[in-house]
Amino acid sequence: MEAQVRRHEHRERTQARPEKVAQVAAIREWLHRAAGVILTDYRGLNVAEIGQLRGRLRDAGARYQVVKNTLLARAAEDLGITGLAPYLEGPTAVAICPDDPVTPARVLQEYIRQMRKLEVKGAFVEGRVLTADEVKSLAEMPAKPQMRAIAVGALKAPLYGLVGVLTGLQRNLVYALSQIQKQKEAAA
């Protein structure tokens, strides 16, 4: 009888439950599609504070969700992501950033300054595992729309200069032809 119980317990441990398989698949999808996933330790936050943080992150275009470390580790392993294991200690919640990881990182850093309870553990951003300090640096960067505007401005400046030079050449040619015409009229 005892041997049967041990075999049954072993079978339960080795066979994944359908709900766990579905959760791992959902986490794997986040990791695959998201521009960034920021891992936090939410110890010390009460339900109202977590709700407030969720609202702020939702306004920034991110989703905040508590996850089990083992499921997150399994999903990361399935995708070949290495280096997350040191950040999967204690309670973990993730900010899932579908497009721009900078703005949610900024929201989290601001929340940490205000509440002094939340802690960023690390992140997985655009194929790379980041430390908490790197996430802090990420929060200080301009957001993607601002970066695009800076890049477009840098590209437009030389073009405006080229247009100025070309129109200046035309203007000088017209002025020179006008002066030649005036000299011929004066000579005639």
Side-chain angles (χ1 to χ4, degrees):
M1 181 72 167
E2 191 175 316
Q4 284 180 332
V5 169
R6 273 189 264 139
R7 271 192 300 235
H8 178 69
E9 288 174 353
H10 176 72
R11 200 171 332 152
E12 281 185 341
R13 284 192 307 258
T14 58
Q15 292 178 349
R17 288 187 256 154
E19 64 270 6
K20 301 283 186 188
V21 171
Q23 288 173 343
V24 169
I27 295 169
R28 190 173 41 244
E29 189 68 20
W30 302 337
L31 290 172
H32 180 69
R33 288 183 181 253
V37 177
I38 303 170
L39 287 71
T40 65
D41 183 340
Y42 61 92
R43 272 185 274 217
L45 294 177
N46 61 37
V47 174
E49 291 167 337
I50 289 176
Q52 180 186 31
L53 178 58
R54 274 192 175 120
R56 288 183 187 184
L57 286 167
R58 192 177 315 111
D59 292 344
R63 192 170 84 206
Y64 193 66
Q65 187 160 345
V66 173
V67 294
K68 288 192 170 204
N69 291 332
T70 54
L71 300 180
L72 181 57
R74 185 163 295 142
E77 181 183 318
D78 289 350
L79 291 173
I81 299 168
T82 58
L84 280 182
Y87 307 113
L88 299 178
E89 298 287 326
T92 303
V94 293
I96 303 148
C97 321
D99 300 318
D100 176 22
V102 174
T103 306
R106 193 175 296 134
V107 168
L108 286 169
Q109 290 301 322
E110 181 61 32
Y111 195 82
I112 290 168
R113 274 192 288 276
Q114 288 176 353
M115 302 301 286
R116 301 193 189 283
K117 290 183 180 179
L118 185 71
E119 178 184 326
V120 172
K121 294 179 172 186
F124 180 70
V125 176
E126 296 184 359
R128 192 168 157 243
V129 175
L130 304 178
T131 65
D133 289 336
E134 290 173 319
V135 173
K136 195 173 189 177
S137 296
L138 179 69
E140 294 168 0
M141 290 177 59
K144 274 188 180 179
Q146 291 169 318
M147 295 280 275
R148 286 184 185 130
I150 291 168
V152 168
L155 291 173
K156 283 171 63 175
L159 294 176
Y160 280 126
L162 178 62
V163 168
V165 167
L166 293 176
T167 56
L169 290 173
Q170 289 175 343
R171 194 176 326 111
N172 290 342
L173 177 62
V174 169
Y175 178 74
L177 291 174
S178 172
Q179 291 300 318
I180 292 171
Q181 182 182 14
K182 284 181 185 178
Q183 288 175 354
K184 286 187 177 182
E185 287 175 356

